[in-house]
């Protein structure tokens, strides 16, 4: 039996932090991959219009992968902020791991610069994402896919000659994939909204880890 659980909790926190950083690294890499894909795609779209549908499909796949990493990061933050934090506070008898709460308060209503000062100055972030890490990248991915699909639809509609069925099939398939990505974004957005609510509610400070 472990008499002092604090080292165990700290080890768990370090493991979760490492996992979150890995997800963060991959999420940033996916944004870079998307930018590179757009750069390459723009050079061939004019001569090969169907590449627009392929690039839209690739964008949606990258989008879905990005959403998975972002959701994992926020789930880890939720566990650290609403479970592990209170276990550590119960074991140590002092405030622990308050960054998540502080950051969310700063983003929403503003918080004192320091809880140890007597000043009443408050800082408030402006222009922040409604859903951190989700809103702006989703506009980027979704906007890219929409523009590419619109361009490909235009090329199919104005095509001179027999209507190639495969072009329309490619358009429909890419559009379905982009729509699915948009739906998933909405679901992740609801998940993050629930996570924000859970952070606000938290757990009773006197609730032990074994309860």
């Amino acid at each position: 039996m472990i008499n002092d659980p604090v080292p165990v909790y700290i080890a768990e926190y370090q493991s979760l932090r490492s996992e979150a950083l890995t997800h963060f690294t991959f999420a940033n890499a996916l944004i870079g991959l998307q930018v590179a894909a757009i750069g390459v795609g723009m050079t061939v779209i004019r001569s090969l219009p169907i590449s627009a549908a392929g690039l839209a499909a690739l964008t949606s796949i990258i989008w879905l992968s990005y959403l998975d990493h972002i959701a994992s990061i926020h789930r880890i933050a939720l566990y650290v902020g609403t479970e592990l934090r209170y276990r550590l506070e119960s074991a140590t008898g002092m405030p622990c791991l308050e960054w998540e709460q502080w950051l969310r308060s700063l983003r929403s209503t503003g918080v004192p610069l320091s809880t140890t000062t007597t000043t009443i100055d408050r800082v408030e972030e402006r222009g922040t994402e409604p859903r951190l890490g989700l809103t702006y990248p989703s506009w980027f991915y979704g906007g890219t896919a929409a523009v590419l699909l619109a361009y490909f639809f235009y090329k199919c509609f104005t095509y001179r000659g027999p209507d190639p069925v495969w072009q329309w099939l490619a358009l429909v398939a890419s559009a379905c994939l982009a729509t699915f990505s948009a739906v998933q974004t909405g679901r992740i957005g609801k998940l993050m909204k629930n996570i924000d609510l859970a952070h606000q509610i938290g757990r009773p400070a006197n609730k032990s880890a074994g309860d």
Side-chain angles (χ1 to χ4, degrees):
M1 182 177 179
I2 301 177
N3 294 325
D4 184 8
V6 173
V8 177
Y9 295 153
I10 292 177
E12 183 180 14
Y13 167 75
Q14 291 174 337
S15 176
L16 290 170
R17 181 176 181 275
S18 177
E19 183 179 345
L21 287 174
T22 299
H23 284 297
F24 182 77
T25 300
F26 277 111
N28 283 336
L30 287 170
I31 293 178
L33 177 62
Q34 174 65 15
V35 173
I38 292 174
V40 173
M42 290 296 102
T43 63
V44 298
I45 282 178
R46 182 167 296 182
S47 58
L48 189 63
I50 194 175
S51 62
L55 184 55
L58 177 61
T59 294
S60 298
I61 292 172
I62 296 175
W63 190 3
L64 289 171
S65 299
Y66 177 86
L67 290 174
D68 181 64
H69 288 296
I70 289 298
S72 297
I73 291 171
H74 282 271
R75 289 189 184 102
I76 290 172
L78 174 64
Y79 176 76
V80 170
T82 61
E83 291 291 332
L84 189 57
R85 170 191 170 194
Y86 290 104
R87 294 178 189 175
L88 273 168
E89 288 181 348
S90 177
T92 62
M94 63 180 65
C96 301
L97 304 178
E98 295 189 303
W99 166 247
E100 282 292 328
Q101 302 297 117
W102 192 90
L103 177 62
R104 290 171 190 276
S105 296
L106 175 64
R107 286 175 52 80
S108 58
T109 60
V111 297
L113 290 173
S114 171
T115 56
T116 62
T117 64
T118 57
T119 63
I120 59 174
D121 293 335
R122 298 171 72 82
V123 291
E124 184 175 353
E125 292 188 354
R126 300 185 182 277
T128 56
E129 288 184 82
R131 294 286 174 261
L132 185 62
L134 178 71
T135 308
Y136 295 160
S138 292
W139 289 350
F140 169 59
Y141 287 121
T144 300
V147 169
L148 290 168
L149 288 170
Y151 174 80
F152 187 55
F153 176 79
Y154 169 78
K155 298 301 289 186
C156 289
F157 189 75
T158 59
Y159 181 75
R160 305 295 182 182
D163 239 359
V165 177
W166 57 269
Q167 284 195 2
W168 290 102
L169 290 177
L171 176 63
V172 171
S174 298
C176 289
L177 189 56
T179 301
F180 177 72
S181 300
V183 171
Q184 286 297 101
T185 299
R187 290 175 177 173
I188 298 299
K190 289 181 180 179
L191 168 67
M192 293 173 68
K193 184 177 181 180
N194 291 334
I195 287 176
D196 287 339
L197 180 61
H199 272 288
Q200 292 174 17
I201 297 174
R203 287 176 55 186
N206 61 353
K207 185 173 183 178
S208 66
D211 289 345

